Amino acid sequence: MTLTPATLVGLAGTLLAAGYTVPQFRKLRRMTTAHGVSVAALASSTISGVAWTVFGVVERDLWVALPAAVAVPATAGAVVLAWFRGGSRERLWLPAVWLAVVSAAGLSAFWVGSGPATVVLGCSVALLVTPAALTAWRSHDVTAIAASAWALMIVDALLAGAYGVLADVDANLIYAAVATTGSLAILLRVSIPPHVHARLVPLPDGIDPEVTRDELSLAA
């Protein structure tokens, strides 16, 4: 294998993809609640990972397929944990619709080329970051969110964007822009102190913004 700049960036992206999905999975394993975590977002991300893998295989681009493939197991595991530990089940129609859209875009390649699939896959990360950001901003307890996972996603997006430039993969460039924007929105929410967020989104009566859901469960 020739170590070109594109190869080095692709390898770095693969190693990072294997790691950035793990923090959320590990945190959910440690916690008794998945409050603030969107099941729909994780399910959509799993579908996207499989779609990216297939896209890379079809395009015969190892460094598109491999980073997606290694990220799927931890994301799929996080879906299961979030489902059984009380994660948000809002917008569960989204993964079903997303699966239909991805499938249609993939099939359209037989008639109109890879253009639709490129755009759809480039925007696919929005199906992860948008529900995740909405759930986080509407939740008063975000202790189940692994901030490190979103910080690593930004690094992953930058590497994907760099590979997109070096290897001329437009889908990677779109992905990089969307992933970075969404991850920053989630990190901003996690950094906001509970009492400040309580002023933005009023708490139910009798709930202390400084007390997490786990602490309330222990107290009960």
Side-chain angles (χ1 to χ4, degrees):
M1 181 183 295
T2 305
L3 292 179
T4 65
T7 299
L8 292 173
V9 171
L11 179 60
T14 299
L15 295 174
L16 184 62
Y20 86 80
T21 53
V22 172
Q24 184 64 78
F25 175 72
R26 292 182 63 187
K27 189 160 190 177
L28 287 173
R29 283 188 62 188
R30 292 196 308 267
M31 298 190 68
T32 59
T33 176
H35 191 66
V37 175
S38 170
V39 175
L42 290 171
S44 297
S45 180
T46 303
I47 293 168
S48 296
V50 174
W52 272 101
T53 303
V54 173
F55 179 74
V57 171
V58 171
E59 294 293 316
R60 298 181 181 179
D61 193 322
L62 175 67
W63 303 119
V64 170
L66 195 56
V70 299
V72 168
T75 306
V79 174
V80 176
L81 290 174
W83 177 271
F84 287 106
R85 298 189 179 180
S88 172
R89 298 188 184 185
E90 293 182 0
R91 297 175 292 274
L92 284 180
W93 53 268
L94 196 56
V97 172
W98 181 234
L99 179 60
V101 170
V102 169
S103 299
L107 291 173
S108 71
F110 290 105
W111 296 280
V112 297
S114 61
T118 295
V119 174
V120 167
L121 285 177
C123 296
S124 64
V125 71
L127 275 294
L128 167 63
V129 297
T130 303
L134 289 173
T135 299
W137 277 91
R138 291 173 179 173
S139 298
H140 301 290
D141 178 8
V142 291
T143 54
I145 296 177
S148 60
W150 297 102
L152 286 172
M153 175 170 273
I154 293 175
V155 179
D156 173 73
L158 295 176
L159 286 172
Y163 184 78
V165 171
L166 293 169
D168 195 24
V169 181
D170 292 336
N172 278 42
L173 299 177
I174 301 172
Y175 168 89
V178 177
T180 300
T181 302
S183 297
L184 287 173
I186 294 168
L187 289 175
L188 176 61
R189 166 61 190 100
V190 173
S191 68
I192 293 177
H195 67 278
V196 175
H197 182 261
R199 295 195 188 104
L200 301 173
V201 181
L203 283 163
D205 292 339
I207 300 297
D208 185 345
E210 298 293 346
V211 178
T212 67
R213 186 172 291 266
D214 273 352
E215 288 169 338
L216 288 172
S217 298
L218 289 172

